[in-house]
Amino acid sequence: MKRYLYSGDTEKLERVQCDVLIIGSGIAGLYSALHIDKNHKVIVITKTQVDGSNSWLAQGGIASVIAPDDFFDSHIEDTLVAGAGLCDRKAVEVLVDEGPRNIQELIADNVPFDHNPEGDLEITREGGHSHRRIVHAGGDATGRETTKRLGEIALTKENIEVKFNTYMVDLFTDEHGVTGALINDGEYKIVECSNIILATGGIGHIYLSTTNPKGAIGDGICSAVRAGAETYGMELVQFHPTTLAIGSMENSERAFLISEAVRGEGGILRNQRGEAFMQGKHPRADLAPRDIVTRAILAEMKKENIDNVWLDVSSMSEEFFKHRFPTIYQKCHESGIDVPREYIPIRPSQHYQMGGVKTDLNGKTNVDGLYAAGECAWTGIHGANRLASNSMLECLVFGRRAAEYINDNFRPTVKNIEVSKDNSSIESTDVERKQLEVRKIVSTYANAVRTRQGLAKGKELIDDISAKADKLKLVTQEDYDYYNMVCTAKMILDGANNRKESIGAHYIEG
Ligand SMILES: Cc1cc2nc3c(=O)[nH]c(=O)nc-3n(C[C@H](O)[C@H](O)[C@H](O)COP(=O)(O)OP(=O)(O)OC[C@H]3O[C@@H](n4cnc5c(N)ncnc54)[C@H](O)[C@@H]3O)c2cc1C
């Protein structure tokens, strides 16, 4: 693996300084920025705009023990059950215990959570949860409403600068830990900073079909690995059972999610013959854990040789559906599906990356000064399978913890850090086709249902591509993206081949 991607002359680049650099403007990035001491200068960078994140797209809501009949042990237990034995119990306890306090803070910050006509907070239930504990905003636009509000607040803070359309290429380190990053905001620049939080989100676009936005390719995780950070569980990839099945997977920018909450409100999965095929497959039927529902759908699709199954939402009135799921209602109607009368065609797509950069309970990685929070991190709370709506909560709880830890353990900026570059010379060509090739390999061999033989084949193909990619001179963002996609794919296939047991989302057939 290369140490650096950048191959230009680093000597001539402009240098800027800050106290804390945060990479990513999703909920993890913004919330952590808001918890850094106001006397520290913070720069938040983001590849596109504030809407270019998984956070913006999150629909269902945020899980937390808020309802009077709910209790901490139940949320802990549900999370551990979903995680199939791979959760870190301590991390789960922190998540659950500190959840309500952070929800209260969002309420105080005027995140517009939905209320019922009596004025009480609406709290709903999703798959895998034994109690109602999901708060939501804008009906099914919780992520958008939360990210928008956190972004608005961040923009009012004098110590926080948010740089849009800016991407991080490389992280720099010395013998004491992280010292800075190479970024591009139209020009390459070196940010000198010894406290860096990675909040770079997921990896979805290394699969053909994903609910994630285009930039989600795991490049933050790859940069951390090149800087010496350890990862865990990269093979633990969650698929969402119900994404809108329209058009071919290869050409789709992003699969539109039909939230689990739709099944929570009475939606039923049906096969070609109209049978409710989840009945009898699991005690929670349509609300069984995501991996079980995903595999049941794939089995139906295989059995009937069809590209999708259906979600029957006809038990809900149009008025209710439109109010509760405005985004889904609109998308279905734009796509010519007359919900709730007509069934919604659905199929599984990649959705969430459980694994990531390994951290402790304060977001600290093994590289001093480098922290990770949110979807790019492995805190141990999701184990082998994430429980619905626990991920935004993770962004809040662990994003805040990383910020508070930095406040207490601040590392001064090293000025005039030594930086190096990559010296490869083979020109990179045909990058778009090569990116598609990687996505096809990962989708074929490291999907929701895996085989030992398939994983070995996938690894062989990616190892070959990876060895060739290491020799390429990378010049454009597309080149970097390609290299990072190969790196992410390799971590997933290596992890999947190394993990001997079939567990949670890492399901081995036979
Ligand atoms: C459709 C959908 C629905 C979901 N619904 C729910 C839900 O209901 N409840 C729930 O809890 N979770 C849900 N999730 C999961 C949840 O939204 C995410 O796990 C969570 O929001 C991730 O937040 P994050 O801050 O870690 O990353 P993101 O929100 O993905 O933000 C990543 C940021 O990093 C930036 N970035 C990445 N790489 C670089 C780079 N190299 N340089 C600069 N910037 C970079 C991106 O531009 C972006 O700003 C959903 C996810 C999706 C896709």
Side-chain angles (χ1 to χ4, degrees), residues 24-28 46-47 53-55 57-61 166-168 199-201 211-212 219 257 351-352 374-375 386 389 391-392 395:
S25 69
I27 292 178
T46 180
K47 274 186 183 173
S53 65
N54 279 348
S55 296
L57 298 171
Q59 294 181 349
T166 303
Y167 64 93
M168 182 268 295
T200 48
T211 58
N212 293 188
D219 47 346
L257 183 81
H351 184 53
Y352 186 81
E375 192 166 339
R386 173 186 72 124
S389 287
S391 39
M392 281 195 278
C395 293

PDB file of all heavy atoms in Angstrom, residues 24-28 46-47 53-55 57-61 166-168 199-201 211-212 219 257 351-352 374-375 386 389 391-392 395, ligand 1:
ATOM      1  N   GLY A  24     -15.199  15.996   7.504  1.00  0.00           N
ATOM      2  CA  GLY A  24     -16.570  15.530   7.336  1.00  0.00           C
ATOM      3  C   GLY A  24     -17.560  16.443   8.031  1.00  0.00           C
ATOM      4  O   GLY A  24     -17.326  16.883   9.170  1.00  0.00           O
ATOM      5  N   SER A  25     -18.648  16.728   7.324  1.00  0.00           N
ATOM      6  CA  SER A  25     -19.669  17.617   7.905  1.00  0.00           C
ATOM      7  C   SER A  25     -21.004  16.910   8.053  1.00  0.00           C
ATOM      8  O   SER A  25     -22.063  17.517   7.909  1.00  0.00           O
ATOM      9  CB  SER A  25     -19.838  18.876   7.053  1.00  0.00           C
ATOM     10  OG  SER A  25     -20.436  18.521   5.822  1.00  0.00           O
ATOM     11  N   GLY A  26     -20.944  15.594   8.324  1.00  0.00           N
ATOM     12  CA  GLY A  26     -22.161  14.884   8.730  1.00  0.00           C
ATOM     13  C   GLY A  26     -22.401  15.171  10.208  1.00  0.00           C
ATOM     14  O   GLY A  26     -21.784  16.078  10.798  1.00  0.00           O
ATOM     15  N   ILE A  27     -23.276  14.391  10.817  1.00  0.00           N
ATOM     16  CA  ILE A  27     -23.617  14.648  12.222  1.00  0.00           C
ATOM     17  C   ILE A  27     -22.398  14.469  13.139  1.00  0.00           C
ATOM     18  O   ILE A  27     -22.165  15.279  14.040  1.00  0.00           O
ATOM     19  CB  ILE A  27     -24.797  13.760  12.660  1.00  0.00           C
ATOM     20  CG1 ILE A  27     -26.050  14.238  11.905  1.00  0.00           C
ATOM     21  CG2 ILE A  27     -25.026  13.819  14.174  1.00  0.00           C
ATOM     22  CD1 ILE A  27     -27.297  13.456  12.180  1.00  0.00           C
ATOM     23  N   ALA A  28     -21.575  13.456  12.866  1.00  0.00           N
ATOM     24  CA  ALA A  28     -20.398  13.237  13.727  1.00  0.00           C
ATOM     25  C   ALA A  28     -19.455  14.434  13.648  1.00  0.00           C
ATOM     26  O   ALA A  28     -18.969  14.928  14.668  1.00  0.00           O
ATOM     27  CB  ALA A  28     -19.674  11.952  13.332  1.00  0.00           C
ATOM     28  N   THR A  46     -15.426  19.411   3.989  1.00  0.00           N
ATOM     29  CA  THR A  46     -16.398  18.462   3.463  1.00  0.00           C
ATOM     30  C   THR A  46     -16.311  18.428   1.951  1.00  0.00           C
ATOM     31  O   THR A  46     -16.125  19.477   1.322  1.00  0.00           O
ATOM     32  CB  THR A  46     -17.814  18.805   3.958  1.00  0.00           C
ATOM     33  OG1 THR A  46     -18.725  17.875   3.424  1.00  0.00           O
ATOM     34  CG2 THR A  46     -18.250  20.213   3.564  1.00  0.00           C
ATOM     35  N   LYS A  47     -16.428  17.217   1.409  1.00  0.00           N
ATOM     36  CA  LYS A  47     -16.204  17.046  -0.025  1.00  0.00           C
ATOM     37  C   LYS A  47     -17.133  17.889  -0.894  1.00  0.00           C
ATOM     38  O   LYS A  47     -16.748  18.351  -1.940  1.00  0.00           O
ATOM     39  CB  LYS A  47     -16.480  15.584  -0.389  1.00  0.00           C
ATOM     40  CG  LYS A  47     -15.312  14.677  -0.201  1.00  0.00           C
ATOM     41  CD  LYS A  47     -15.672  13.311  -0.742  1.00  0.00           C
ATOM     42  CE  LYS A  47     -14.551  12.347  -0.494  1.00  0.00           C
ATOM     43  NZ  LYS A  47     -14.935  10.973  -0.858  1.00  0.00           N
ATOM     44  N   SER A  53     -23.982  13.936   2.520  1.00  0.00           N
ATOM     45  CA  SER A  53     -23.541  12.996   3.563  1.00  0.00           C
ATOM     46  C   SER A  53     -24.628  11.961   3.823  1.00  0.00           C
ATOM     47  O   SER A  53     -25.801  12.180   3.492  1.00  0.00           O
ATOM     48  CB  SER A  53     -23.275  13.767   4.864  1.00  0.00           C
ATOM     49  OG  SER A  53     -24.482  14.324   5.350  1.00  0.00           O
ATOM     50  N   ASN A  54     -24.234  10.861   4.432  1.00  0.00           N
ATOM     51  CA  ASN A  54     -25.236   9.880   4.867  1.00  0.00           C
ATOM     52  C   ASN A  54     -26.169  10.513   5.887  1.00  0.00           C
ATOM     53  O   ASN A  54     -27.367  10.215   5.920  1.00  0.00           O
ATOM     54  CB  ASN A  54     -24.549   8.670   5.518  1.00  0.00           C
ATOM     55  CG  ASN A  54     -24.022   7.691   4.479  1.00  0.00           C
ATOM     56  OD1 ASN A  54     -24.359   7.807   3.301  1.00  0.00           O
ATOM     57  ND2 ASN A  54     -23.216   6.754   4.910  1.00  0.00           N
ATOM     58  N   SER A  55     -25.604  11.393   6.730  1.00  0.00           N
ATOM     59  CA  SER A  55     -26.427  12.025   7.765  1.00  0.00           C
ATOM     60  C   SER A  55     -27.620  12.746   7.151  1.00  0.00           C
ATOM     61  O   SER A  55     -28.750  12.635   7.651  1.00  0.00           O
ATOM     62  CB  SER A  55     -25.594  13.035   8.555  1.00  0.00           C
ATOM     63  OG  SER A  55     -24.571  12.386   9.251  1.00  0.00           O
ATOM     64  N   LEU A  57     -29.213  12.097   4.602  1.00  0.00           N
ATOM     65  CA  LEU A  57     -30.207  11.188   4.006  1.00  0.00           C
ATOM     66  C   LEU A  57     -30.971  10.365   5.037  1.00  0.00           C
ATOM     67  O   LEU A  57     -31.944   9.693   4.696  1.00  0.00           O
ATOM     68  CB  LEU A  57     -29.502  10.218   3.049  1.00  0.00           C
ATOM     69  CG  LEU A  57     -28.797  10.868   1.861  1.00  0.00           C
ATOM     70  CD1 LEU A  57     -27.959   9.832   1.128  1.00  0.00           C
ATOM     71  CD2 LEU A  57     -29.814  11.481   0.916  1.00  0.00           C
ATOM     72  N   ALA A  58     -30.508  10.373   6.282  1.00  0.00           N
ATOM     73  CA  ALA A  58     -31.111   9.477   7.272  1.00  0.00           C
ATOM     74  C   ALA A  58     -32.591   9.794   7.455  1.00  0.00           C
ATOM     75  O   ALA A  58     -32.978  10.951   7.568  1.00  0.00           O
ATOM     76  CB  ALA A  58     -30.370   9.601   8.592  1.00  0.00           C
ATOM     77  N   GLN A  59     -33.376   8.748   7.458  1.00  0.00           N
ATOM     78  CA  GLN A  59     -34.830   8.953   7.464  1.00  0.00           C
ATOM     79  C   GLN A  59     -35.446   8.673   8.828  1.00  0.00           C
ATOM     80  O   GLN A  59     -36.015   9.546   9.477  1.00  0.00           O
ATOM     81  CB  GLN A  59     -35.489   8.008   6.446  1.00  0.00           C
ATOM     82  CG  GLN A  59     -35.134   8.296   5.015  1.00  0.00           C
ATOM     83  CD  GLN A  59     -35.837   7.342   4.059  1.00  0.00           C
ATOM     84  OE1 GLN A  59     -36.435   6.347   4.467  1.00  0.00           O
ATOM     85  NE2 GLN A  59     -35.762   7.644   2.782  1.00  0.00           N
ATOM     86  N   GLY A  60     -35.313   7.409   9.264  1.00  0.00           N
ATOM     87  CA  GLY A  60     -36.103   6.883  10.380  1.00  0.00           C
ATOM     88  C   GLY A  60     -36.026   7.679  11.654  1.00  0.00           C
ATOM     89  O   GLY A  60     -37.034   8.107  12.212  1.00  0.00           O
ATOM     90  N   GLY A  61     -34.819   7.889  12.177  1.00  0.00           N
ATOM     91  CA  GLY A  61     -34.714   8.651  13.407  1.00  0.00           C
ATOM     92  C   GLY A  61     -33.514   8.265  14.242  1.00  0.00           C
ATOM     93  O   GLY A  61     -32.595   7.595  13.772  1.00  0.00           O
ATOM     94  N   THR A 166     -14.183  20.685  -0.460  1.00  0.00           N
ATOM     95  CA  THR A 166     -12.776  20.531  -0.067  1.00  0.00           C
ATOM     96  C   THR A 166     -12.542  19.077   0.340  1.00  0.00           C
ATOM     97  O   THR A 166     -13.312  18.553   1.142  1.00  0.00           O
ATOM     98  CB  THR A 166     -12.466  21.434   1.151  1.00  0.00           C
ATOM     99  OG1 THR A 166     -12.784  22.785   0.793  1.00  0.00           O
ATOM    100  CG2 THR A 166     -11.018  21.347   1.574  1.00  0.00           C
ATOM    101  N   TYR A 167     -11.530  18.458  -0.218  1.00  0.00           N
ATOM    102  CA  TYR A 167     -11.310  17.067   0.191  1.00  0.00           C
ATOM    103  C   TYR A 167      -9.912  16.838   0.725  1.00  0.00           C
ATOM    104  O   TYR A 167      -8.971  17.524   0.363  1.00  0.00           O
ATOM    105  CB  TYR A 167     -11.649  16.081  -0.929  1.00  0.00           C
ATOM    106  CG  TYR A 167     -10.787  16.171  -2.166  1.00  0.00           C
ATOM    107  CD1 TYR A 167      -9.661  15.375  -2.305  1.00  0.00           C
ATOM    108  CD2 TYR A 167     -11.114  17.034  -3.203  1.00  0.00           C
ATOM    109  CE1 TYR A 167      -8.868  15.443  -3.445  1.00  0.00           C
ATOM    110  CE2 TYR A 167     -10.321  17.116  -4.340  1.00  0.00           C
ATOM    111  CZ  TYR A 167      -9.205  16.324  -4.454  1.00  0.00           C
ATOM    112  OH  TYR A 167      -8.425  16.402  -5.578  1.00  0.00           O
ATOM    113  N   MET A 168      -9.844  15.864   1.620  1.00  0.00           N
ATOM    114  CA  MET A 168      -8.574  15.507   2.233  1.00  0.00           C
ATOM    115  C   MET A 168      -7.977  14.350   1.439  1.00  0.00           C
ATOM    116  O   MET A 168      -8.680  13.397   1.097  1.00  0.00           O
ATOM    117  CB  MET A 168      -8.839  15.075   3.683  1.00  0.00           C
ATOM    118  CG  MET A 168      -7.616  14.723   4.478  1.00  0.00           C
ATOM    119  SD  MET A 168      -7.213  12.982   4.409  1.00  0.00           S
ATOM    120  CE  MET A 168      -8.600  12.256   5.229  1.00  0.00           C
ATOM    121  N   ALA A 199     -14.363  12.086  10.405  1.00  0.00           N
ATOM    122  CA  ALA A 199     -15.813  11.844  10.503  1.00  0.00           C
ATOM    123  C   ALA A 199     -16.317  11.678   9.074  1.00  0.00           C
ATOM    124  O   ALA A 199     -17.216  12.369   8.621  1.00  0.00           O
ATOM    125  CB  ALA A 199     -16.487  13.009  11.213  1.00  0.00           C
ATOM    126  N   THR A 200     -15.655  10.748   8.366  1.00  0.00           N
ATOM    127  CA  THR A 200     -15.797  10.672   6.910  1.00  0.00           C
ATOM    128  C   THR A 200     -16.884   9.712   6.427  1.00  0.00           C
ATOM    129  O   THR A 200     -17.016   9.504   5.220  1.00  0.00           O
ATOM    130  CB  THR A 200     -14.439  10.288   6.280  1.00  0.00           C
ATOM    131  OG1 THR A 200     -13.907   9.170   7.002  1.00  0.00           O
ATOM    132  CG2 THR A 200     -13.453  11.435   6.346  1.00  0.00           C
ATOM    133  N   GLY A 201     -17.638   9.124   7.348  1.00  0.00           N
ATOM    134  CA  GLY A 201     -18.816   8.359   6.942  1.00  0.00           C
ATOM    135  C   GLY A 201     -18.517   6.989   6.347  1.00  0.00           C
ATOM    136  O   GLY A 201     -17.529   6.341   6.714  1.00  0.00           O
ATOM    137  N   THR A 211     -27.387   2.894  -0.613  1.00  0.00           N
ATOM    138  CA  THR A 211     -28.205   4.051  -0.215  1.00  0.00           C
ATOM    139  C   THR A 211     -27.321   5.278   0.042  1.00  0.00           C
ATOM    140  O   THR A 211     -27.825   6.361   0.277  1.00  0.00           O
ATOM    141  CB  THR A 211     -28.948   3.739   1.100  1.00  0.00           C
ATOM    142  OG1 THR A 211     -27.975   3.424   2.105  1.00  0.00           O
ATOM    143  CG2 THR A 211     -29.914   2.588   0.929  1.00  0.00           C
ATOM    144  N   ASN A 212     -26.011   5.095   0.025  1.00  0.00           N
ATOM    145  CA  ASN A 212     -25.084   6.190   0.385  1.00  0.00           C
ATOM    146  C   ASN A 212     -24.870   7.161  -0.777  1.00  0.00           C
ATOM    147  O   ASN A 212     -24.977   6.771  -1.938  1.00  0.00           O
ATOM    148  CB  ASN A 212     -23.702   5.612   0.747  1.00  0.00           C
ATOM    149  CG  ASN A 212     -23.680   4.776   2.006  1.00  0.00           C
ATOM    150  OD1 ASN A 212     -22.623   4.399   2.463  1.00  0.00           O
ATOM    151  ND2 ASN A 212     -24.830   4.458   2.578  1.00  0.00           N
ATOM    152  N   ASP A 219     -12.612   6.656   1.824  1.00  0.00           N
ATOM    153  CA  ASP A 219     -11.274   7.248   1.652  1.00  0.00           C
ATOM    154  C   ASP A 219     -10.687   7.771   2.963  1.00  0.00           C
ATOM    155  O   ASP A 219      -9.466   7.761   3.142  1.00  0.00           O
ATOM    156  CB  ASP A 219     -11.251   8.329   0.564  1.00  0.00           C
ATOM    157  CG  ASP A 219     -12.379   9.329   0.665  1.00  0.00           C
ATOM    158  OD1 ASP A 219     -13.343   9.058   1.401  1.00  0.00           O
ATOM    159  OD2 ASP A 219     -12.301  10.378   0.011  1.00  0.00           O
ATOM    160  N   LEU A 257     -34.006   4.798  -0.142  1.00  0.00           N
ATOM    161  CA  LEU A 257     -34.352   3.936   0.993  1.00  0.00           C
ATOM    162  C   LEU A 257     -35.841   3.996   1.335  1.00  0.00           C
ATOM    163  O   LEU A 257     -36.422   5.070   1.396  1.00  0.00           O
ATOM    164  CB  LEU A 257     -33.552   4.414   2.207  1.00  0.00           C
ATOM    165  CG  LEU A 257     -33.734   3.590   3.470  1.00  0.00           C
ATOM    166  CD1 LEU A 257     -32.868   2.354   3.413  1.00  0.00           C
ATOM    167  CD2 LEU A 257     -33.356   4.412   4.694  1.00  0.00           C
ATOM    168  N   HIS A 351     -25.830  -0.486   2.754  1.00  0.00           N
ATOM    169  CA  HIS A 351     -26.411   0.620   3.515  1.00  0.00           C
ATOM    170  C   HIS A 351     -25.468   1.195   4.570  1.00  0.00           C
ATOM    171  O   HIS A 351     -25.396   2.400   4.737  1.00  0.00           O
ATOM    172  CB  HIS A 351     -27.680   0.103   4.193  1.00  0.00           C
ATOM    173  CG  HIS A 351     -28.445   1.162   4.928  1.00  0.00           C
ATOM    174  ND1 HIS A 351     -28.833   2.334   4.345  1.00  0.00           N
ATOM    175  CD2 HIS A 351     -28.907   1.211   6.212  1.00  0.00           C
ATOM    176  CE1 HIS A 351     -29.503   3.075   5.222  1.00  0.00           C
ATOM    177  NE2 HIS A 351     -29.541   2.424   6.364  1.00  0.00           N
ATOM    178  N   TYR A 352     -24.747   0.343   5.287  1.00  0.00           N
ATOM    179  CA  TYR A 352     -23.993   0.828   6.442  1.00  0.00           C
ATOM    180  C   TYR A 352     -22.730   0.000   6.647  1.00  0.00           C
ATOM    181  O   TYR A 352     -22.746  -1.222   6.434  1.00  0.00           O
ATOM    182  CB  TYR A 352     -24.880   0.741   7.697  1.00  0.00           C
ATOM    183  CG  TYR A 352     -24.225   1.353   8.907  1.00  0.00           C
ATOM    184  CD1 TYR A 352     -24.255   2.728   9.104  1.00  0.00           C
ATOM    185  CD2 TYR A 352     -23.543   0.566   9.836  1.00  0.00           C
ATOM    186  CE1 TYR A 352     -23.620   3.304  10.194  1.00  0.00           C
ATOM    187  CE2 TYR A 352     -22.912   1.130  10.917  1.00  0.00           C
ATOM    188  CZ  TYR A 352     -22.964   2.500  11.093  1.00  0.00           C
ATOM    189  OH  TYR A 352     -22.332   3.072  12.162  1.00  0.00           O
ATOM    190  N   GLY A 374     -18.363   8.386  14.362  1.00  0.00           N
ATOM    191  CA  GLY A 374     -19.437   8.140  13.400  1.00  0.00           C
ATOM    192  C   GLY A 374     -19.176   6.871  12.599  1.00  0.00           C
ATOM    193  O   GLY A 374     -18.477   5.955  13.050  1.00  0.00           O
ATOM    194  N   GLU A 375     -19.719   6.853  11.392  1.00  0.00           N
ATOM    195  CA  GLU A 375     -19.719   5.610  10.616  1.00  0.00           C
ATOM    196  C   GLU A 375     -18.321   5.123  10.235  1.00  0.00           C
ATOM    197  O   GLU A 375     -18.100   3.931  10.047  1.00  0.00           O
ATOM    198  CB  GLU A 375     -20.583   5.798   9.360  1.00  0.00           C
ATOM    199  CG  GLU A 375     -20.869   4.488   8.650  1.00  0.00           C
ATOM    200  CD  GLU A 375     -21.979   4.588   7.628  1.00  0.00           C
ATOM    201  OE1 GLU A 375     -22.814   5.513   7.702  1.00  0.00           O
ATOM    202  OE2 GLU A 375     -22.015   3.707   6.741  1.00  0.00           O
ATOM    203  N   ARG A 386     -25.665  -3.639  12.856  1.00  0.00           N
ATOM    204  CA  ARG A 386     -26.142  -2.423  13.535  1.00  0.00           C
ATOM    205  C   ARG A 386     -27.644  -2.497  13.802  1.00  0.00           C
ATOM    206  O   ARG A 386     -28.427  -2.885  12.938  1.00  0.00           O
ATOM    207  CB  ARG A 386     -25.856  -1.227  12.646  1.00  0.00           C
ATOM    208  CG  ARG A 386     -26.434   0.068  13.137  1.00  0.00           C
ATOM    209  CD  ARG A 386     -26.216   1.163  12.106  1.00  0.00           C
ATOM    210  NE  ARG A 386     -27.059   0.976  10.954  1.00  0.00           N
ATOM    211  CZ  ARG A 386     -27.910   1.893  10.486  1.00  0.00           C
ATOM    212  NH1 ARG A 386     -28.020   3.056  11.080  1.00  0.00           N
ATOM    213  NH2 ARG A 386     -28.627   1.653   9.419  1.00  0.00           N
ATOM    214  N   SER A 389     -31.223   2.874  13.749  1.00  0.00           N
ATOM    215  CA  SER A 389     -31.243   4.185  14.411  1.00  0.00           C
ATOM    216  C   SER A 389     -30.234   4.355  15.546  1.00  0.00           C
ATOM    217  O   SER A 389     -30.278   5.341  16.276  1.00  0.00           O
ATOM    218  CB  SER A 389     -32.657   4.540  14.903  1.00  0.00           C
ATOM    219  OG  SER A 389     -33.434   4.854  13.774  1.00  0.00           O
ATOM    220  N   SER A 391     -27.042   4.540  14.766  1.00  0.00           N
ATOM    221  CA  SER A 391     -25.829   5.149  14.198  1.00  0.00           C
ATOM    222  C   SER A 391     -25.785   6.655  14.384  1.00  0.00           C
ATOM    223  O   SER A 391     -24.720   7.205  14.669  1.00  0.00           O
ATOM    224  CB  SER A 391     -25.655   4.780  12.733  1.00  0.00           C
ATOM    225  OG  SER A 391     -26.872   4.786  12.087  1.00  0.00           O
ATOM    226  N   MET A 392     -26.915   7.344  14.213  1.00  0.00           N
ATOM    227  CA  MET A 392     -26.865   8.786  14.472  1.00  0.00           C
ATOM    228  C   MET A 392     -26.572   9.032  15.946  1.00  0.00           C
ATOM    229  O   MET A 392     -25.886   9.982  16.310  1.00  0.00           O
ATOM    230  CB  MET A 392     -28.160   9.459  14.028  1.00  0.00           C
ATOM    231  CG  MET A 392     -28.192   9.666  12.511  1.00  0.00           C
ATOM    232  SD  MET A 392     -29.454  10.815  11.977  1.00  0.00           S
ATOM    233  CE  MET A 392     -30.883   9.794  11.943  1.00  0.00           C
ATOM    234  N   CYS A 395     -22.935   8.870  16.403  1.00  0.00           N
ATOM    235  CA  CYS A 395     -22.277  10.123  15.949  1.00  0.00           C
ATOM    236  C   CYS A 395     -22.306  11.159  17.066  1.00  0.00           C
ATOM    237  O   CYS A 395     -21.315  11.854  17.310  1.00  0.00           O
ATOM    238  CB  CYS A 395     -23.015  10.717  14.747  1.00  0.00           C
ATOM    239  SG  CYS A 395     -22.918   9.726  13.263  1.00  0.00           S
TER     240      CYS A 395
HETATM  241  C1  LIG B   1     -30.546   6.609   3.336  1.00  0.00           C
HETATM  242  C2  LIG B   1     -30.021   6.454   4.723  1.00  0.00           C
HETATM  243  C3  LIG B   1     -30.893   6.398   5.802  1.00  0.00           C
HETATM  244  C4  LIG B   1     -30.411   6.274   7.103  1.00  0.00           C
HETATM  245  N1  LIG B   1     -31.291   6.300   8.142  1.00  0.00           N
HETATM  246  C5  LIG B   1     -30.805   6.287   9.415  1.00  0.00           C
HETATM  247  C6  LIG B   1     -31.671   6.446  10.522  1.00  0.00           C
HETATM  248  O1  LIG B   1     -32.866   6.590  10.370  1.00  0.00           O
HETATM  249  N2  LIG B   1     -31.112   6.438  11.767  1.00  0.00           N
HETATM  250  C7  LIG B   1     -29.768   6.302  11.986  1.00  0.00           C
HETATM  251  O2  LIG B   1     -29.327   6.320  13.140  1.00  0.00           O
HETATM  252  N3  LIG B   1     -28.941   6.152  10.934  1.00  0.00           N
HETATM  253  C8  LIG B   1     -29.415   6.155   9.669  1.00  0.00           C
HETATM  254  N4  LIG B   1     -28.548   6.037   8.619  1.00  0.00           N
HETATM  255  C9  LIG B   1     -27.119   5.921   8.909  1.00  0.00           C
HETATM  256  C10 LIG B   1     -26.597   7.273   9.357  1.00  0.00           C
HETATM  257  O3  LIG B   1     -27.201   8.286   8.589  1.00  0.00           O
HETATM  258  C11 LIG B   1     -25.105   7.390   9.193  1.00  0.00           C
HETATM  259  O4  LIG B   1     -24.458   6.274   9.695  1.00  0.00           O
HETATM  260  C12 LIG B   1     -24.578   8.604   9.918  1.00  0.00           C
HETATM  261  O5  LIG B   1     -25.356   9.726   9.637  1.00  0.00           O
HETATM  262  C13 LIG B   1     -23.148   8.820   9.516  1.00  0.00           C
HETATM  263  O6  LIG B   1     -22.762  10.088   9.923  1.00  0.00           O
HETATM  264  P1  LIG B   1     -21.251  10.507   9.824  1.00  0.00           P
HETATM  265  O7  LIG B   1     -21.193  11.887  10.329  1.00  0.00           O
HETATM  266  O8  LIG B   1     -20.403   9.478  10.430  1.00  0.00           O
HETATM  267  O9  LIG B   1     -20.943  10.467   8.240  1.00  0.00           O
HETATM  268  P2  LIG B   1     -21.665  11.188   7.050  1.00  0.00           P
HETATM  269  O10 LIG B   1     -22.921  11.811   7.466  1.00  0.00           O
HETATM  270  O11 LIG B   1     -21.726  10.237   5.917  1.00  0.00           O
HETATM  271  O12 LIG B   1     -20.664  12.358   6.688  1.00  0.00           O
HETATM  272  C14 LIG B   1     -19.438  12.073   6.077  1.00  0.00           C
HETATM  273  C15 LIG B   1     -18.786  13.388   5.712  1.00  0.00           C
HETATM  274  O13 LIG B   1     -17.423  13.167   5.409  1.00  0.00           O
HETATM  275  C16 LIG B   1     -17.078  13.881   4.246  1.00  0.00           C
HETATM  276  N5  LIG B   1     -15.897  13.235   3.670  1.00  0.00           N
HETATM  277  C17 LIG B   1     -15.707  11.922   3.397  1.00  0.00           C
HETATM  278  N6  LIG B   1     -14.473  11.728   2.901  1.00  0.00           N
HETATM  279  C18 LIG B   1     -13.885  12.942   2.867  1.00  0.00           C
HETATM  280  C19 LIG B   1     -12.621  13.404   2.426  1.00  0.00           C
HETATM  281  N7  LIG B   1     -11.688  12.577   1.945  1.00  0.00           N
HETATM  282  N8  LIG B   1     -12.364  14.728   2.486  1.00  0.00           N
HETATM  283  C20 LIG B   1     -13.308  15.599   2.965  1.00  0.00           C
HETATM  284  N9  LIG B   1     -14.518  15.220   3.410  1.00  0.00           N
HETATM  285  C21 LIG B   1     -14.788  13.904   3.345  1.00  0.00           C
HETATM  286  C22 LIG B   1     -18.315  13.845   3.413  1.00  0.00           C
HETATM  287  O14 LIG B   1     -18.273  14.862   2.437  1.00  0.00           O
HETATM  288  C23 LIG B   1     -19.384  14.071   4.495  1.00  0.00           C
HETATM  289  O15 LIG B   1     -19.476  15.434   4.780  1.00  0.00           O
HETATM  290  C24 LIG B   1     -29.024   6.159   7.319  1.00  0.00           C
HETATM  291  C25 LIG B   1     -28.147   6.189   6.243  1.00  0.00           C
HETATM  292  C26 LIG B   1     -28.629   6.347   4.956  1.00  0.00           C
HETATM  293  C27 LIG B   1     -27.652   6.392   3.815  1.00  0.00           C
END
